[in-house]
Amino acid sequence: MDNVINKIRQELKKNTDEKTKKSGKNFFKEKIKLYGVKTAIVSNIGKQYFKNIQNEKKAEIFGLCEKLWQSGYMEESFIACNWSYFIRKDYEKKDFSVFERWVSSYVSNWASCDTLCNHTIGAFLEMYPESLEKLKKWSKSKNRWIKRASAVSLIVPAKKGKFLKDIFEISDSLLLDQDDLVQKGYGWMLKVASQTHQKEVFDYILKNRKIMPRTALRYAIEKMPKELKAKAMAK
């Protein structure tokens, strides 16, 4: 199984592009590890090598994902996220602890955070909504990525109109956070929720607009009509 990981790394090195590497780093304030491979190519490499492991047990696939995460390379984290999402039909309630470990131990930038949370964790929460209580505890963390994860894990469910009460509870926890990436995370969550629950989200924003950081506020109202935006942004 380790041979699959080695082959993936060889493929990534073979597809490294210095221009992609340089431009990629401009999207992040923190220091990141990049091969410099275009996202579409990374996705294709991941799909290609998943065929070699797709019949393995979930525990084996999760183990390979963990090895990819451990490298610290963003491209490897993307492949790990894709693989864990590919086997979503096999998720069990106890898998939350695996995903929690990945977020707390390996996530170190917004791109890896969002890729894992939007797909793997979002799908898991739709299957096991009782785990939302554990997700809410993430919003109380001191770790910026865990806090962002508590919000962005609900992006896909929010698109479907789900979990509005929980979205507001997480927003309450993150409301005054000073970290711009946390603000953008819960602002994004509210923005997506507003597409199916515009009135409820607008009422929430209006109630909190005087204390909500402007970054979060702007994200949250982005998809709203002009007149509602103006009302939300009024001094």
Side-chain angles (χ1 to χ4, degrees):
M1 297 294 280
D2 285 345
N3 194 38
V4 173
I5 302 290
N6 291 333
K7 286 183 177 178
I8 285 171
R9 288 172 178 160
Q10 288 170 14
E11 286 284 336
L12 289 170
K13 287 174 184 174
K14 192 166 73 178
N15 285 279
T16 293
D17 175 63
E18 283 304 316
K19 187 178 178 182
T20 301
K21 188 174 184 178
K22 188 176 179 180
S23 64
K25 288 185 176 180
N26 292 335
F27 288 101
F28 303 90
K29 293 178 183 178
E30 53 280 330
K31 189 176 181 181
I32 57 166
K33 286 175 72 176
L34 278 177
Y35 286 99
V37 182
K38 291 179 180 176
T39 304
I41 296 174
V42 175
S43 180
N44 286 336
I45 291 171
K47 287 176 183 175
Q48 176 189 339
Y49 284 96
F50 183 73
K51 292 173 185 175
N52 297 347
I53 63 162
Q54 61 187 351
N55 294 321
E56 298 292 334
K57 291 180 180 178
K58 181 181 65 179
E60 294 288 340
I61 296 173
F62 277 176
L64 291 171
C65 291
E66 188 113 13
K67 288 185 178 181
L68 290 166
W69 275 111
Q70 287 169 350
S71 74
Y73 278 95
M74 187 177 296
E75 291 93 342
E76 291 191 37
S77 79
F78 288 169
I79 292 172
C81 292
N82 289 339
W83 283 5
S84 60
Y85 181 65
F86 289 162
I87 57 170
R88 59 193 178 278
K89 289 181 181 177
D90 296 326
Y91 291 166
E92 298 170 85
K93 190 176 176 181
K94 65 181 181 179
D95 293 331
F96 186 87
S97 61
V98 175
F99 306 144
E100 187 170 48
R101 184 176 69 251
W102 292 352
V103 174
S104 60
S105 301
Y106 307 124
V107 168
S108 59
N109 61 78
W110 61 262
S112 294
C113 181
D114 296 359
T115 305
L116 174 63
C117 294
N118 284 180
H119 305 294
T120 294
I121 301 178
F124 173 87
L125 291 167
E126 288 191 62
M127 291 172 70
Y128 301 103
E130 60 270 32
S131 296
L132 283 162
E133 293 308 311
K134 293 180 180 178
L135 183 77
K136 289 173 195 173
K137 292 178 182 176
W138 291 7
S139 67
K140 308 289 188 184
S141 174
K142 292 181 179 178
N143 181 313
R144 74 191 307 196
W145 305 119
I146 296 174
K147 286 188 286 187
R148 183 178 171 96
S150 72
V152 299
S153 292
L154 294 182
I155 297 296
V156 175
K159 284 181 182 176
K160 302 172 184 177
K162 295 183 177 182
F163 308 143
L164 187 64
K165 175 179 171 288
D166 307 287
I167 285 166
F168 287 150
E169 285 183 33
I170 289 171
S171 296
D172 283 344
S173 292
L174 302 175
L175 193 65
L176 302 178
D177 201 279
Q178 295 302 300
D179 190 317
D180 70 319
L181 287 172
V182 175
Q183 293 170 11
K184 289 173 182 176
Y186 85 80
W188 180 20
M189 175 178 66
L190 288 170
K191 172 175 67 178
V192 173
S194 77
Q195 293 175 254
T196 49
H197 296 285
Q198 186 182 89
K199 183 185 184 304
E200 294 93 329
V201 174
F202 182 70
D203 288 346
Y204 178 86
I205 291 167
L206 216 56
K207 182 179 74 174
N208 293 292
R209 70 188 181 93
K210 290 184 178 177
I211 58 171
M212 185 184 288
R214 297 303 258 191
T215 297
L217 181 59
R218 288 192 189 97
Y219 265 69
I221 64 174
E222 191 178 338
K223 295 289 185 179
M224 291 189 178
K226 286 182 179 179
E227 63 272 17
L228 295 187
K229 286 183 182 179
K231 196 172 179 181
M233 293 294 286
K235 296 289 186 182

